[in-house]
Amino acid sequence: MWARGSADDKGGIAAHLGALRAFGGRPPVGVKVFIEGEEEIGSPSMGKLLERYGSELVADVFVIADAVNWKVGEPALTTTLRGVVDAVVTVSTLETGLHSGQFGGVVPDALTVMSRLLATLHDDRGNVAIKGS
């Protein structure tokens, strides 16, 4: 088994390995196990890894076991994922702060502008509010 960061998501790894073990290590279909341990930081190594090994990872189905069991004895299956956006966003306003008493919030504050911008990414129910996503 090839793995990087395999200490993460041990439950998901154990679920896949348990399924393989149930077939005595010889499931009725071909199985490839790929353990990706950088998802919380945007998978910075994924691009190079796919360039090098992508043809070996081709599959008809991907099963991702990266969820919790919401109820004891009842397994969970992830059917959709939101993904991650890795970006640097710069908000520019004034070079120096201005006294709020004199300007009363008329001049935009970078932190407030950024907060408002981030708040537009999801609707009130938590759904992604970006068209095409």
Side-chain angles (χ1 to χ4, degrees), residues 74-94:
E74 189 174 302
L77 178 65
T78 302
T79 58
T80 58
L81 299 171
R82 287 187 175 195
V84 65
V85 173
D86 186 11
V88 175
V89 178
T90 303
V91 174
S92 298
T93 56
L94 300 175

Side-chain angles (χ1 to χ4, degrees), residues 1 6 10 14 19 30 44 48-49 51 54 67 70 75 88 92 94-95 98 100-101 122 127 130:
M1 174 170 54
S6 58
K10 291 183 285 278
K48 287 184 181 180
L49 191 134
E51 283 178 25
W70 302 105
V88 175
S92 298
L94 300 175
E95 289 184 21
L98 297 175
S100 62
H122 294 88
N127 298 311
I130 301 168

